[in-house]
Amino acid sequence: MEIHYKLTEEDYIHFNLYHIKNSKTGKRALALQRFITPLFFIIISYIYSLISDMSFLPLFIIFLVTSILWVMFYPKYFYGLIARNAKKMIKEGNNDGLIGNHQLKLTEEGLMDTSSNKETKVTWLGITSFQEDDGYFFLYNSSVSSYILPKREIDNVDEMRQYIQSNLMQ
């Protein structure tokens, strides 16, 4: 089976967001940053009330409202930061092998990805995980990198899914 597709900057950013949203480390980082910071806000209100002439209750209310807003809106900021950093990394250097046209050949032995300046081969045993969302297939070849297959470029998505899954089970 052979697929010709083009990976865009948006595809790469989407993968980074998908990965961070679905990895244990990403979920843990978001949870810690989302919920530990508001605890510091509350502690700061108490400490500030001790060292200043302000009473604790007004400070507590202000920091409590700030904490609630933080918990509500921090995930959007967090994922926006991931997307901005992925964009910056793409613009840092030459990404011809990542962004651009790809040709992916899938055989019973494995897969071979060819782009404008590189060719990679991996056996099916080298694919550590197969995941998908509404728009993509992700064939992970390590815990942090993946072959990104946009479903928009695949004629028969169900057939492709079955082909990949059957080869991964062998």
Side-chain angles (χ1 to χ4, degrees):
M1 189 174 284
E2 193 171 312
I3 309 162
H4 295 269
Y5 61 99
K6 182 175 185 170
L7 278 183
T8 64
E9 181 178 300
E10 290 77 27
D11 296 329
Y12 181 73
I13 292 167
H14 180 87
F15 167 70
N16 279 273
L17 289 170
Y18 174 85
H19 181 72
I20 204 78
K21 288 177 181 178
N22 292 285
S23 76
K24 288 179 186 177
T25 303
K27 290 177 185 177
R28 186 179 16 224
L30 175 59
L32 284 173
Q33 294 171 28
R34 186 178 185 189
F35 296 111
I36 297 297
T37 302
L39 287 176
F40 284 117
F41 290 159
I42 304 301
I43 292 168
I44 288 170
S45 69
Y46 178 72
I47 293 171
Y48 192 74
S49 72
L50 291 177
I51 60 174
S52 73
D53 292 335
M54 292 187 74
S55 69
F56 174 68
L57 188 59
L59 284 172
F60 176 75
I61 291 171
I62 291 169
F63 280 96
L64 181 64
V65 169
T66 304
S67 296
I68 291 169
L69 292 172
W70 179 276
V71 168
M72 287 173 47
F73 294 109
Y74 186 75
K76 184 173 180 162
Y77 170 77
F78 180 79
Y79 295 129
L81 184 63
I82 298 295
R84 283 190 303 279
N85 285 338
K87 260 186 199 180
K88 285 180 186 177
M89 287 188 287
I90 289 171
K91 291 179 192 228
E92 278 182 0
N94 184 358
N95 293 297
D96 290 339
L98 178 65
I99 305 298
N101 293 318
H102 287 258
Q103 175 185 357
L104 186 69
K105 291 181 184 176
L106 298 108
T107 66
E108 290 184 18
E109 292 80 36
L111 51 98
M112 181 172 61
D113 180 39
T114 306
S115 63
S116 62
N117 65 355
K118 73 173 187 169
E119 183 175 284
T120 60
K121 293 181 182 181
V122 65
T123 65
W124 288 109
L125 290 174
I127 301 299
T128 60
S129 174
F130 172 59
Q131 298 180 27
E132 70 176 292
D133 65 7
D134 291 340
Y136 298 87
F137 288 129
F138 303 109
L139 293 159
Y140 278 84
N141 57 350
S142 76
S143 61
V144 294
S145 68
S146 169
Y147 291 96
I148 305 165
L149 300 174
K151 290 180 180 177
R152 67 178 181 270
E153 303 280 354
I154 301 170
D155 292 332
N156 190 331
V157 172
D158 291 331
E159 182 182 322
M160 175 63 71
R161 180 184 302 108
Q162 288 175 339
Y163 184 80
I164 292 169
Q165 289 173 336
S166 68
N167 280 295
L168 288 173
M169 286 190 229
Q170 294 178 4

